[in-house]
Amino acid sequence: MIQVTKPFLPPLQEYQQYVEQIWKRQWLTNMGPLSSELEMRLKDYLKLDHLLFVSNGTTALQIALKVLDVKGEVITTPFSFVATTSAVVWEGCTPVFVDIDKNSLNIDPTKIEAAITPNTTAILATHVYGNPCDIDRIDHISKKYGLKVIYDAAHAFGVQYKGKSIFEFGDVSICSLHATKLYHSVEGGLIVTTDPELLKKSALMRNFGISGFGTYGDLGINGKNSELHAAMGLVNLLHIESILEKRKELAAAYHKNLKGLHVVYPVWNANSAPNYSYFPLILESEEFLLKVVSELDKHQIFTRRYFYPSLANSLPYLPAKQFTYTDDISKRVLCLPLYHELTKEEIHLIARIILRVQNN
Ligand SMILES: *Cc1c(COP(=O)(O)O)cnc(C)c1O
């Protein structure tokens, strides 16, 4: 059986060493020493001045919306994971969808201005599969209209844009460190901003707004993460280079083995390089995709229609809306298995099955 993804698991002894430390200290959560160490090491690795380790990517999004005082309408993409949209609704705001660019699969910046109303306060854009949005144009629009920008960079761990961490862009960027992501702490998330005031406020919000004994500096929530999760993040960070290298090799093997397949790949931002967080194919038709999925299923090989369906016509709490490219591409996009332990032989097999469906 080949799953679409498998969490990276480091050697157990490496994790156990941290667990022993935790047992000795008896400090389990609430910004403990391992959480602080993880924040420090991540800042070092990502070359960032500020970041916060939080409970998950969704809470990170909610804190981002709150800390920027986002209200009213938020322009966002219908081609993302549900949390991108649900966080906006959860915070009492209205998502206003804009179609994606058919090449990058990110929000189409040329369509943003038409969606702005007097109630618009922010743009929430996803770097889909880690591929950076058209940051320069989004930046330009946000300045022109005085809008906040939040990037959902859940897929973009380790991605650089113009030589800087992708997390530095926008007012706030968030990342998810969920077990299914390329780099993970089982559950976890990051809030990144270059603004020290926003960081301070987000840190307060992460801990119920508590600013001291019996004093409250702001409205808050429980966005803290535990020492056990931080330990996983610390151990996995020791392996990040080999994780990234392996995924690059596996992606190259897919490209080589899938030669001859009628397929389109998302076009990567020219100012950046991929982190291979996913291996998406845009196939010729939904009919062909369904045949591929069913044939792979028969061989116990599992793929994921990611993202399908469009968030603009599948959420019971929002009115349905159609979009030319999102609707079309979400029906034809398929993510193939990609994880650290996947082998080139397995990729060879997966590719052979797919090509056989096409050539029959
Ligand atoms: C995973 C993911 C999230 C949510 O992150 P969690 O850590 O699971 O809460 C948000 N947005 C995108 C695009 C994601 O892929």
Side-chain angles (χ1 to χ4, degrees), residues 54-61 79-85 126-129 152-155 174-181 186-190 278 304 306-307:
V54 298
S55 45
N56 56 60
T58 306
T59 308
L61 274 172
F79 191 71
S80 187
F81 181 61
V82 65
T84 316
T85 303
T126 301
H127 301 305
V128 175
Y129 310 129
D152 181 338
H155 298 173
I174 70 94
C175 189
S176 166
L177 307 186
H178 183 258
T180 54
K181 306 304 204 256
V186 188
E187 289 277 357
L190 300 174
Y278 297 90
R304 188 167 170 205
Y306 193 62
F307 304 108

Side-chain angles (χ1 to χ4, degrees), residues 152-340:
D152 181 338
H155 298 173
F157 189 87
V159 171
Q160 298 221 322
Y161 178 78
K162 295 187 172 175
K164 288 186 188 177
S165 166
I166 187 74
F167 298 154
E168 282 193 46
F169 297 89
D171 293 284
V172 178
S173 282
I174 70 94
C175 189
S176 166
L177 307 186
H178 183 258
T180 54
K181 306 304 204 256
L182 153 143
Y183 165 73
H184 76 90
S185 62
V186 188
E187 289 277 357
L190 300 174
I191 296 176
V192 185
T193 172
T194 54
D195 180 336
E197 280 309 307
L198 284 177
L199 185 90
K200 228 170 98 187
K201 226 175 145 184
S202 304
L204 213 56
M205 288 181 163
R206 172 178 66 173
N207 187 31
F208 310 102
I210 295 172
S211 52
F213 288 106
T215 59
Y216 303 94
D218 211 324
L219 178 66
I221 191 172
N222 184 357
K224 296 178 276 97
N225 210 330
S226 85
E227 290 292 278
L228 288 136
H229 292 86
M232 191 65 146
L234 283 165
V235 177
N236 286 345
L237 197 55
L238 299 173
H239 299 277
I240 189 67
E241 293 308 333
S242 89
I243 291 171
L244 292 169
E245 190 52 40
K246 183 66 179 286
R247 295 179 92 98
K248 188 174 178 179
E249 282 170 19
L250 295 174
Y254 266 129
H255 280 294
K256 187 169 148 232
N257 284 283
L258 286 170
K259 277 221 179 83
L261 181 68
H262 306 151
V263 65
V264 171
Y265 296 103
V267 177
W268 208 267
N269 191 308
N271 295 304
S272 181
N275 62 352
Y276 305 102
S277 46
Y278 297 90
F279 196 83
L281 305 175
I282 305 168
L283 298 170
E284 279 195 317
S285 65
E286 186 176 27
E287 189 195 353
F288 177 56
L289 177 145
L290 292 172
K291 275 191 203 154
V292 166
V293 170
S294 123
E295 201 53 35
L296 289 170
D297 273 356
K298 279 188 210 151
H299 290 80
Q300 301 263 300
I301 297 168
F302 301 107
T303 52
R304 188 167 170 205
R305 299 185 71 182
Y306 193 62
F307 304 108
Y308 171 84
S310 160
L311 293 171
N313 60 28
S314 54
L315 301 176
Y317 44 86
L318 291 177
K321 207 170 164 192
Q322 317 309 317
F323 288 100
T324 312
Y325 294 118
T326 304
D327 295 359
D328 173 39
I329 290 168
S330 60
K331 288 190 184 110
R332 296 190 287 122
V333 73
L334 189 67
C335 285
L336 298 184
L338 186 63
Y339 51 86
H340 194 72

Side-chain angles (χ1 to χ4, degrees), residues 12-55:
L12 184 57
Q13 304 91 299
E14 291 182 17
Y15 187 67
Q16 272 167 343
Q17 286 177 3
Y18 279 102
V19 172
E20 278 164 24
Q21 285 183 34
I22 296 170
W23 250 246
K24 278 198 195 106
R25 259 193 308 267
Q26 303 187 13
W27 188 346
L28 302 185
T29 186
N30 285 14
M31 288 78 70
L34 295 181
S35 300
S36 305
E37 186 181 336
L38 179 62
E39 288 179 341
M40 205 185 68
R41 290 200 189 275
L42 284 171
K43 279 190 264 189
D44 206 46
Y45 176 71
L46 298 165
K47 299 192 174 56
L48 293 167
D49 290 333
H50 311 291
L51 64 76
L52 292 175
F53 177 49
V54 298
S55 45

